[in-house]
Amino acid sequence: MTRTSPASHRSRSRGERRPGYLAAAAVFAIGMAGTTLPTPLYGLYRDEIGFSELMVTVVFASYAVGVICTLLLVGNHSDVAGRRPVLLCALGFGAASAVCFLLEGGLPALFTGRVLSGFSAGLLSGAGTVTVLELAAPGRKSRAGFAATAANMGGLGCGPLLSGLLAQYAPMPLTWPFLAHLALLAVAAAIVLLLPETVPHARPKGRPRPQGLYVPPEVRGVFAPAALAAFAGFSLLGLFTAVAPSFVSHTLGIGNLAVTGLVVFSMFLSSTAGQSLTGRMTTRTALPLGCLVLVAGLLLVGASLWAKSLPLMVAGAVCGGLGQGLAFRAALTAVGDAAPPAHRAATVSSFFVVAYTGISLPVVGVGALTMWLGLERAGLTFTACVTVLVAATAVRLVRHPAPTRGD
């Protein structure tokens, strides 16, 4: 009979005490916070460097290019290399992005920082999500699904809130937000080193094998309506993050950066609240309901631009975020559950490619139209376009509900 040594028993006991899915969700949130950290600061950069509103949105959207390229080229790499090496690489890109912003070297540094941030988000979106799901015990899969999507949206919301507060009330407004995030990234890296690896026979030195958008045949019936709902929801996020900072500072004349950060944060906080409600209903219900609530939020955002009302904008952020959260978690859960383990990261990465395409197009579109129509009319134009998209998605989901596992 093989005897277990005291050393191996202690090692196994230590392994059992390793951080679980909540720790992985914290890493995910810290990494994602860096991707929206500059949002309230673009006005300061514009005044310091001197560039147009269109250039602000192009800098903002260059991050989405980094996300999409990363998802297409190495979105499946954590299925081979393991989750931990990919998470550490993502945190490294986040740190490099923060250094670029600290250097303040003009537009090239801003573009480089945003693209590096996109690389970080692209790696985190796939590997971070599946790590949280895989570290959960069988009875906690639903909670882990909420933790993963809440970490994504919550992290995106905490970035503007943190930078807005530090830029407004701390010295060196373009320095302290990124120093604070570097410190948080160091904590996140330490947590990753303690996380157990969830990929059997992981090969950290394995070469990436780009496979572009890959959706296994058995997932496609779930993927199409889920990705469409995600695209619609992320379009609202892109529209709001593009319009809200300039609207608050220029149209309403509110120069407090903490207020700007809080307004943007309110949408992501509401998204997290919407995600918490998804577990109480089926995917078939949550997806179309989320889209319908999104329509109401878009109408309120459009009304706020027309009436030049901050309360209406906050109401639109809360309502729209709630709908986006409902739809997003339902969509991601459906796709993650349907994906086979060997291709889970690749499938989730493809899902996020569609979502981040939605977050980037409105940003650049609003910036371009602002040059000719002004901020309010440009925002109203894109609000109308996204409203039509979301409404059509809701009708599609009502008529043809997304299938779930076991259907």
Side-chain angles (χ1 to χ4, degrees):
M1 182 175 67
T2 302
R3 299 181 61 184
T4 303
S5 69
S8 63
H9 177 74
R10 287 195 300 270
S11 175
R12 186 171 64 252
S13 298
R14 285 195 298 269
E16 291 171 354
R17 292 196 298 269
R18 280 186 171 188
Y21 75 92
L22 291 177
V27 171
F28 194 2
I30 289 171
M32 294 306 293
T35 67
T36 52
L37 201 68
T39 299
L41 309 179
Y42 287 124
L44 299 179
Y45 285 116
R46 183 176 55 228
D47 295 339
E48 181 175 290
I49 300 173
F51 47 82
S52 66
E53 186 69 29
L54 173 60
M55 190 57 64
V56 171
T57 58
V58 172
V59 170
F60 179 92
S62 62
Y63 139 83
V65 175
V67 175
I68 293 170
C69 289
T70 302
L71 290 171
L72 290 174
L73 295 175
V74 292
N76 63 326
H77 190 50
S78 72
D79 288 332
V80 176
R83 312 301 183 206
R84 290 199 302 172
V86 173
L87 289 175
L88 288 172
C89 186
L91 297 177
F93 278 126
S97 171
V99 170
C100 287
F101 279 96
L102 284 171
L103 294 175
E104 296 183 43
L107 275 175
L110 297 188
F111 273 112
T112 303
R114 287 303 287 165
V115 172
L116 289 171
S117 183
F119 293 163
S120 175
L123 293 174
L124 283 168
S125 295
T129 298
V130 295
T131 300
V132 175
L133 294 174
E134 290 171 348
L135 285 177
R140 295 180 177 266
K141 291 297 182 182
S142 178
R143 293 183 182 182
F146 170 64
T149 53
N152 194 338
M153 291 297 113
L156 290 170
C158 286
L161 183 64
L162 174 64
S163 61
L165 288 170
L166 290 176
Q168 184 64 37
Y169 299 113
M172 299 183 293
L174 296 179
T175 300
W176 274 108
F178 301 101
L179 290 178
H181 191 241
L182 283 172
L184 289 172
L185 288 171
V187 173
I191 294 173
V192 171
L193 292 175
L194 297 174
L195 291 175
E197 179 56 67
T198 59
V199 176
H201 312 297
R203 293 181 285 115
K205 295 184 179 180
R207 292 184 178 182
R209 295 181 178 179
Q211 58 184 22
L213 289 172
Y214 179 72
V215 181
E218 63 269 34
V219 187
R220 290 172 188 171
V222 176
F223 187 88
L228 191 61
F231 180 93
F234 271 63
S235 293
L236 174 60
L237 296 181
L239 174 69
F240 192 82
T241 50
V243 170
S246 295
F247 177 77
V248 171
S249 60
H250 294 165
T251 304
L252 300 180
I254 300 175
N256 190 307
L257 296 177
V259 172
T260 300
L262 187 60
V263 169
V264 177
F265 173 73
S266 66
M267 172 166 282
F268 291 101
L269 179 65
S270 298
S271 173
T272 304
Q275 293 164 29
S276 70
L277 300 175
T278 305
R280 303 178 184 180
M281 58 189 78
T282 65
T283 299
R284 288 175 177 267
T285 301
L287 272 172
L289 178 61
C291 289
L292 291 172
V293 177
L294 260 175
V295 170
L298 280 161
L299 293 175
L300 286 170
V301 170
S304 72
L305 295 172
W306 178 75
K308 298 182 181 179
S309 167
L310 182 60
L312 275 177
M313 172 157 279
V314 173
V318 171
C319 186
L322 193 68
Q324 190 274 340
L326 273 170
F328 177 67
R329 184 187 172 192
L332 182 58
T333 300
V335 170
D337 285 348
H343 299 290
R344 185 167 289 142
T347 306
V348 171
S349 294
S350 297
F351 174 83
F352 277 105
V353 167
V354 179
Y356 276 100
T357 301
I359 206 174
S360 59
L361 293 179
V363 174
V364 178
V366 168
L369 282 181
T370 298
M371 304 295 293
W372 295 281
L373 301 179
L375 178 63
E376 291 80 12
R377 290 183 179 179
L380 284 169
T381 299
F382 268 82
T383 299
C385 293
V386 178
T387 300
V388 171
L389 171 65
V390 177
T393 302
V395 171
R396 161 69 171 79
L397 289 167
V398 169
R399 291 182 176 178
H400 306 283
T404 57
R405 176 172 281 185
D407 283 351

PDB file of all heavy atoms in Angstrom, residues 145-162:
ATOM      1  N   GLY A 145     -20.690  32.432 -12.311  1.00  0.00           N
ATOM      2  CA  GLY A 145     -21.069  33.152 -13.521  1.00  0.00           C
ATOM      3  C   GLY A 145     -21.345  34.612 -13.228  1.00  0.00           C
ATOM      4  O   GLY A 145     -20.939  35.511 -13.981  1.00  0.00           O
ATOM      5  N   PHE A 146     -22.017  34.874 -12.113  1.00  0.00           N
ATOM      6  CA  PHE A 146     -22.262  36.260 -11.718  1.00  0.00           C
ATOM      7  C   PHE A 146     -20.962  36.954 -11.349  1.00  0.00           C
ATOM      8  O   PHE A 146     -20.730  38.115 -11.706  1.00  0.00           O
ATOM      9  CB  PHE A 146     -23.233  36.305 -10.538  1.00  0.00           C
ATOM     10  CG  PHE A 146     -23.358  37.667  -9.915  1.00  0.00           C
ATOM     11  CD1 PHE A 146     -23.884  38.730 -10.638  1.00  0.00           C
ATOM     12  CD2 PHE A 146     -22.939  37.895  -8.617  1.00  0.00           C
ATOM     13  CE1 PHE A 146     -23.998  39.997 -10.065  1.00  0.00           C
ATOM     14  CE2 PHE A 146     -23.043  39.146  -8.042  1.00  0.00           C
ATOM     15  CZ  PHE A 146     -23.577  40.207  -8.765  1.00  0.00           C
ATOM     16  N   ALA A 147     -20.083  36.246 -10.630  1.00  0.00           N
ATOM     17  CA  ALA A 147     -18.803  36.846 -10.233  1.00  0.00           C
ATOM     18  C   ALA A 147     -17.984  37.240 -11.454  1.00  0.00           C
ATOM     19  O   ALA A 147     -17.338  38.309 -11.470  1.00  0.00           O
ATOM     20  CB  ALA A 147     -18.019  35.870  -9.359  1.00  0.00           C
ATOM     21  N   ALA A 148     -17.995  36.404 -12.500  1.00  0.00           N
ATOM     22  CA  ALA A 148     -17.201  36.698 -13.695  1.00  0.00           C
ATOM     23  C   ALA A 148     -17.725  37.935 -14.423  1.00  0.00           C
ATOM     24  O   ALA A 148     -16.955  38.829 -14.786  1.00  0.00           O
ATOM     25  CB  ALA A 148     -17.204  35.490 -14.631  1.00  0.00           C
ATOM     26  N   THR A 149     -19.025  37.984 -14.660  1.00  0.00           N
ATOM     27  CA  THR A 149     -19.573  39.124 -15.389  1.00  0.00           C
ATOM     28  C   THR A 149     -19.562  40.392 -14.528  1.00  0.00           C
ATOM     29  O   THR A 149     -19.344  41.485 -15.037  1.00  0.00           O
ATOM     30  CB  THR A 149     -21.003  38.826 -15.858  1.00  0.00           C
ATOM     31  OG1 THR A 149     -21.797  38.406 -14.742  1.00  0.00           O
ATOM     32  CG2 THR A 149     -21.016  37.734 -16.907  1.00  0.00           C
ATOM     33  N   ALA A 150     -19.766  40.231 -13.206  1.00  0.00           N
ATOM     34  CA  ALA A 150     -19.708  41.387 -12.318  1.00  0.00           C
ATOM     35  C   ALA A 150     -18.291  41.948 -12.239  1.00  0.00           C
ATOM     36  O   ALA A 150     -18.093  43.162 -12.163  1.00  0.00           O
ATOM     37  CB  ALA A 150     -20.208  41.010 -10.921  1.00  0.00           C
ATOM     38  N   ALA A 151     -17.307  41.055 -12.256  1.00  0.00           N
ATOM     39  CA  ALA A 151     -15.912  41.515 -12.251  1.00  0.00           C
ATOM     40  C   ALA A 151     -15.599  42.292 -13.521  1.00  0.00           C
ATOM     41  O   ALA A 151     -14.900  43.313 -13.487  1.00  0.00           O
ATOM     42  CB  ALA A 151     -14.972  40.324 -12.116  1.00  0.00           C
ATOM     43  N   ASN A 152     -16.118  41.821 -14.642  1.00  0.00           N
ATOM     44  CA  ASN A 152     -15.905  42.510 -15.911  1.00  0.00           C
ATOM     45  C   ASN A 152     -16.517  43.913 -15.882  1.00  0.00           C
ATOM     46  O   ASN A 152     -15.833  44.914 -16.055  1.00  0.00           O
ATOM     47  CB  ASN A 152     -16.517  41.678 -17.043  1.00  0.00           C
ATOM     48  CG  ASN A 152     -16.067  42.136 -18.411  1.00  0.00           C
ATOM     49  OD1 ASN A 152     -15.643  43.265 -18.595  1.00  0.00           O
ATOM     50  ND2 ASN A 152     -16.166  41.258 -19.380  1.00  0.00           N
ATOM     51  N   MET A 153     -17.830  43.978 -15.639  1.00  0.00           N
ATOM     52  CA  MET A 153     -18.520  45.268 -15.637  1.00  0.00           C
ATOM     53  C   MET A 153     -18.127  46.131 -14.434  1.00  0.00           C
ATOM     54  O   MET A 153     -17.955  47.343 -14.551  1.00  0.00           O
ATOM     55  CB  MET A 153     -20.034  45.052 -15.636  1.00  0.00           C
ATOM     56  CG  MET A 153     -20.588  44.469 -16.910  1.00  0.00           C
ATOM     57  SD  MET A 153     -20.346  45.560 -18.345  1.00  0.00           S
ATOM     58  CE  MET A 153     -19.197  44.560 -19.278  1.00  0.00           C
ATOM     59  N   GLY A 154     -17.987  45.493 -13.261  1.00  0.00           N
ATOM     60  CA  GLY A 154     -17.600  46.248 -12.076  1.00  0.00           C
ATOM     61  C   GLY A 154     -16.212  46.855 -12.220  1.00  0.00           C
ATOM     62  O   GLY A 154     -15.967  47.997 -11.814  1.00  0.00           O
ATOM     63  N   GLY A 155     -15.293  46.074 -12.800  1.00  0.00           N
ATOM     64  CA  GLY A 155     -13.952  46.611 -13.032  1.00  0.00           C
ATOM     65  C   GLY A 155     -13.963  47.773 -14.000  1.00  0.00           C
ATOM     66  O   GLY A 155     -13.318  48.806 -13.775  1.00  0.00           O
ATOM     67  N   LEU A 156     -14.720  47.629 -15.093  1.00  0.00           N
ATOM     68  CA  LEU A 156     -14.841  48.724 -16.063  1.00  0.00           C
ATOM     69  C   LEU A 156     -15.416  49.985 -15.406  1.00  0.00           C
ATOM     70  O   LEU A 156     -15.037  51.101 -15.752  1.00  0.00           O
ATOM     71  CB  LEU A 156     -15.731  48.287 -17.226  1.00  0.00           C
ATOM     72  CG  LEU A 156     -15.153  47.238 -18.182  1.00  0.00           C
ATOM     73  CD1 LEU A 156     -16.230  46.736 -19.132  1.00  0.00           C
ATOM     74  CD2 LEU A 156     -13.978  47.805 -18.970  1.00  0.00           C
ATOM     75  N   GLY A 157     -16.337  49.808 -14.467  1.00  0.00           N
ATOM     76  CA  GLY A 157     -16.931  50.961 -13.800  1.00  0.00           C
ATOM     77  C   GLY A 157     -16.025  51.590 -12.764  1.00  0.00           C
ATOM     78  O   GLY A 157     -16.030  52.815 -12.571  1.00  0.00           O
ATOM     79  N   CYS A 158     -15.240  50.764 -12.083  1.00  0.00           N
ATOM     80  CA  CYS A 158     -14.366  51.295 -11.033  1.00  0.00           C
ATOM     81  C   CYS A 158     -13.207  52.119 -11.601  1.00  0.00           C
ATOM     82  O   CYS A 158     -12.664  52.991 -10.902  1.00  0.00           O
ATOM     83  CB  CYS A 158     -13.812  50.154 -10.183  1.00  0.00           C
ATOM     84  SG  CYS A 158     -15.025  49.440  -9.063  1.00  0.00           S
ATOM     85  N   GLY A 159     -12.817  51.860 -12.842  1.00  0.00           N
ATOM     86  CA  GLY A 159     -11.726  52.630 -13.445  1.00  0.00           C
ATOM     87  C   GLY A 159     -12.015  54.127 -13.489  1.00  0.00           C
ATOM     88  O   GLY A 159     -11.238  54.930 -12.953  1.00  0.00           O
ATOM     89  N   PRO A 160     -13.127  54.567 -14.108  1.00  0.00           N
ATOM     90  CA  PRO A 160     -13.437  56.001 -14.137  1.00  0.00           C
ATOM     91  C   PRO A 160     -13.669  56.588 -12.751  1.00  0.00           C
ATOM     92  O   PRO A 160     -13.311  57.738 -12.495  1.00  0.00           O
ATOM     93  CB  PRO A 160     -14.721  56.072 -14.976  1.00  0.00           C
ATOM     94  CG  PRO A 160     -14.745  54.821 -15.752  1.00  0.00           C
ATOM     95  CD  PRO A 160     -14.068  53.786 -14.911  1.00  0.00           C
ATOM     96  N   LEU A 161     -14.274  55.801 -11.846  1.00  0.00           N
ATOM     97  CA  LEU A 161     -14.523  56.308 -10.498  1.00  0.00           C
ATOM     98  C   LEU A 161     -13.213  56.576  -9.769  1.00  0.00           C
ATOM     99  O   LEU A 161     -13.032  57.642  -9.154  1.00  0.00           O
ATOM    100  CB  LEU A 161     -15.366  55.298  -9.717  1.00  0.00           C
ATOM    101  CG  LEU A 161     -15.765  55.713  -8.302  1.00  0.00           C
ATOM    102  CD1 LEU A 161     -16.663  56.945  -8.337  1.00  0.00           C
ATOM    103  CD2 LEU A 161     -16.457  54.557  -7.575  1.00  0.00           C
ATOM    104  N   LEU A 162     -12.283  55.636  -9.841  1.00  0.00           N
ATOM    105  CA  LEU A 162     -10.992  55.796  -9.177  1.00  0.00           C
ATOM    106  C   LEU A 162     -10.209  56.965  -9.758  1.00  0.00           C
ATOM    107  O   LEU A 162      -9.710  57.828  -9.016  1.00  0.00           O
ATOM    108  CB  LEU A 162     -10.183  54.501  -9.315  1.00  0.00           C
ATOM    109  CG  LEU A 162      -8.742  54.538  -8.797  1.00  0.00           C
ATOM    110  CD1 LEU A 162      -8.718  54.769  -7.300  1.00  0.00           C
ATOM    111  CD2 LEU A 162      -8.001  53.241  -9.158  1.00  0.00           C
TER     112      LEU A 162
END
